[in-house]
Structures are given as structure tokens and as C-alpha cells.
Amino acid sequence: MRCIIVSDAWAPQINGVVRTLTTLKEHLTGQGHEIVTITPDQFRSIPCPTYPEIRLSLFPAARITRIIEETLPSAIHIATEGPLGLAARKYCLKKKLPFTTAFHTRFAEYVHARTRIPLSWGYGFLKWFHKPSSSVMVATQSLQADLEARGFKNIMRWTRGIDTDLFHPREKGLQNLPRPIFMYVGRVAVEKNIESFLKLDLPGSQVIIGDGPQRKELEKKYVKAHFLGMKTGADLAFHYASADVFVFPSKTDTFGLVLLEALASGVPVAAYPVTGPLDVIGNAPVGSLDTDLKQASLNALSLNTDLCRSFSLDYSWKKSADQFLSNLAPFSPDRISPRDQV
């Protein structure tokens, strides 16, 4: 199958959406499928206000039309609701082509946290965006239930995987820091609720791995915490494995790929009982979920690290890729007309 994936989130961003899509492309290509990506690096762009790491593509419609008509795909998947996603959606509707979408991010909550725009407005836009989709792919059951309660239709499950060869238990590094080490990995942004973690009176050390628009503010405010910046690849895996507890303070993530990366590294999780942690961990003895994040963090110290590793092995990228393929809405490429015939 030749499939186009459209995403406003792409490298050099480092987040769960980008890691999911790049790994998905790698696995589907390995299965013999042709995957063409339409991403911001192919367009003129400007930094997103308040979040310059995100690039907003400018006037992408003409180039998106050209890429689609030159590629002649048999499926189109729109991963994000930004400028590229909007332009691809408009093209598909104009040509009466089926397409699928994914609900990766609680966009309405993120915008509300930054601008105080009402959640109802944000979800109104999201429902409008995803309404024509043949299937709206979501990672968890609780997110599916929440969206269905809000009136979303055609929802299908698409799980996530983990690279257990990269992320695995290792000798504890970071020997210069007092233990236990409570670690957060991810974007340093207001919607991630990191300050709820940094406010906790915990023994040992609090470590933040990642970068983002809130880093300078938090680094100045919480001088006892250790902000180690962005990490990737084996360096990231080393830092995961160095932690004693992985603390996930977000209340807005739709999944939390970092949860699996931590568990694969043999590190138990402390989190709030919300979408993401509830779906990934539930009642399994590999994490502590509590409305009191301090208590959850302290409880997680006593959990069995071998069980964390074993638990993560149930998540494979092959299963994720197969599920993605089964959710697509294939069509015949001859339904795409060159622009000069439209």
C-alpha cells in the first residue's frame, strides 16, 4: 500500500506524536508499504506563538495538492489538526476521498491552559475537524469513551509500541545525585503540569529531562531540581534507567509513550489516575496512581522493577502498525485527478 501521512508535528520536535509516527513509518516500510510524509520541513513556516519549537506551515495547500497528485496514494491519514492537517482535509473533501485521522493530543485543554479559550470552543473545532474522517484513531479506551460522550463518531483503537531493545534496565548512573531519583521526561510546558511534581517535598533528587517554553521559568523557581535538558537515543535510555521512580504529572495526555519507555527501563511509575496512566497501568503492580502525587511517588519506590520490565514487553510496534493499517480507508489511486482536470 502507498499511504500518505500528514503531520504538523515532526522533527526536530521530540515528543510522543513524532516518535510514534516516525517509528510507525519505519515499521510499515519494513513490511513493504510505501509511506510518504507531508511535514513542516517541506514548507515555509513560522514558530508557533508561545511555543517556538512547533512550526506552523504557511500557505501549504498548493504544495499538498501537488504531493498528493504526484504520489497517487491508496490511503491518506491526517495525524494532526494544524495547518497541514486542515489543508489535506480540505483537499480530500473537495475530491471526495476517504481519509482517516488520529486524536493524539488534547488540543482543547492545551489551548485553554495557554490562552484560557473555553474548552467548549476547542472541542467544537476538534469535532468539526474529525467529523468527516472514516476512522478517528485513539490510543486508549478511556479517551475513546470521553470522545464518544462528547459526540465524536467513527472512533477506532490504535495502540502504541515500545523499543525494548533501546529501553531496558541498566546500571544506575547519575551517581553524583542523592537518591532516590524521581524523574520526569517530556516537554517542559504548562500543559504537562510539571510544577505539581516540582512542588512536592520528596527525598533525594528531582530530575527533569526535556526542554520547552516553561523550562527557564521553572529552572529559576525550583533551584533544587536538576534540569538536564533534551536527551535522545541511548543517552535518553541511560537517563531513564538511572531513575528510581518515573513521575508523570500530566492530566491531559492521551496516552503517554514515556510511561512505556520508563517501564521498559525497569522504572516504576507514579501518576494521577487519569487517561493515559489508567489505561496503560491500571491496577498492574508497576505503578502507583493516586490523586496525591507525593504519596504515589513514595509508594512507587517499593514496586518490583522486574515486573515493570516484563509488563512493557506486551507492547509491540508490530501490533501497533498492523492495527493502524486495519483502520485505514483505502481507495483507488485513479480517483485522484491532476489539478489541470479539476
Side-chain angles (χ1 to χ4, degrees):
M1 174 183 291
R2 182 183 297 120
C3 176
I4 284 179
I5 296 178
V6 183
S7 177
D8 294 273
W10 203 249
Q13 290 183 62
I14 299 176
N15 56 43
V17 176
V18 175
R19 289 204 300 275
T20 294
L21 294 176
T22 53
T23 308
L24 171 71
K25 180 179 179 180
E26 177 185 331
H27 279 261
L28 292 177
T29 301
Q31 294 178 19
H33 301 285
E34 183 180 345
I35 307 300
V36 175
T37 53
I38 298 179
T39 53
D41 55 306
Q42 299 164 270
F43 300 83
R44 290 180 55 207
S45 64
I46 58 173
C48 177
T50 78
Y51 207 144
E53 291 86 352
I54 296 175
R55 304 294 302 184
L56 301 178
S57 302
L58 298 174
F59 312 111
R63 181 172 292 184
I64 281 181
T65 296
R66 184 165 63 250
I67 293 172
I68 293 174
E69 294 178 354
E70 290 175 353
T71 301
L72 294 176
S74 51
I76 296 175
H77 176 72
I78 302 173
T80 56
E81 302 95 344
L84 297 183
L86 285 165
R89 176 188 183 275
K90 183 177 180 179
Y91 176 90
C92 290
L93 291 176
K94 179 180 179 180
K95 293 298 187 77
K96 296 182 172 56
L97 298 175
F99 63 94
T100 58
T101 59
F103 199 102
H104 285 283
T105 304
R106 287 192 180 274
F107 176 77
E109 281 84 352
Y110 284 18
V111 172
H112 175 71
R114 292 172 180 278
T115 67
R116 313 315 295 175
I117 289 176
L119 286 175
S120 60
W121 294 12
Y123 275 104
F125 164 76
L126 291 171
K127 194 157 70 168
W128 167 83
F129 183 93
H130 291 280
K131 184 176 181 180
S133 174
S134 298
S135 68
V136 183
M137 302 189 203
V138 302
T140 66
Q141 179 57 46
S142 62
L143 178 60
Q144 178 174 346
D146 178 60
L147 293 180
E148 287 176 340
R150 295 178 186 274
F152 286 71
K153 306 295 184 183
N154 304 324
I155 298 178
M156 302 186 76
R157 293 287 295 281
W158 173 31
T159 191
R160 300 292 184 266
I162 180 68
D163 184 349
T164 53
D165 292 329
L166 176 61
F167 299 103
H168 59 79
R170 307 163 189 252
E171 287 189 20
K172 297 291 185 185
L174 303 180
Q175 299 296 341
N176 59 319
L177 297 182
R179 290 197 176 270
I181 291 177
F182 298 89
M183 183 177 291
Y184 165 84
V185 176
R187 294 201 309 275
V188 184
V190 64
E191 66 270 11
K192 296 299 185 178
N193 196 32
I194 302 168
E195 197 161 9
S196 290
F197 166 45
L198 293 172
K199 286 179 179 178
L200 300 180
D201 181 18
L202 293 169
S205 304
Q206 290 165 285
V207 174
I208 306 294
I209 305 294
D211 210 343
Q214 207 183 16
R215 178 179 173 181
K216 289 183 180 179
E217 172 195 341
L218 295 179
E219 201 166 9
K220 183 177 180 181
K221 189 173 181 179
Y222 297 95
V223 295
K224 292 184 179 180
H226 303 271
F227 290 78
L228 304 186
M230 189 77 72
K231 307 292 178 184
T232 60
D235 190 24
L236 174 61
F238 162 82
H239 282 81
Y240 266 119
S242 297
D244 297 294
V245 173
F246 181 78
V247 183
F248 187 75
S250 175
K251 295 182 178 180
T252 59
D253 275 59
T254 59
F255 186 81
L257 191 61
V258 290
L259 298 172
L260 292 180
E261 293 172 347
L263 292 172
S265 304
V267 179
V269 169
Y272 291 109
V274 295
T275 296
L278 277 174
D279 296 280
V280 175
I281 295 169
N283 295 320
V286 298
S288 176
L289 308 185
D290 199 310
T291 55
D292 184 337
L293 191 59
K294 177 179 179 179
Q295 194 59 52
S297 300
L298 295 173
N299 290 345
L301 283 170
S302 62
L303 297 178
N304 187 309
T305 59
D306 291 336
L307 289 179
C308 295
R309 171 67 179 178
S310 298
F311 181 88
S312 73
L313 298 178
D314 289 336
Y315 289 86
S316 83
W317 276 114
K318 183 181 184 306
K319 178 181 177 181
S320 176
D322 290 346
Q323 201 170 40
F324 174 84
L325 284 175
S326 69
N327 290 341
L328 290 176
F331 56 83
S332 173
D334 62 16
R335 291 181 60 181
I336 298 176
S337 304
R339 280 175 292 170
D340 60 2
Q341 295 181 19
V342 176

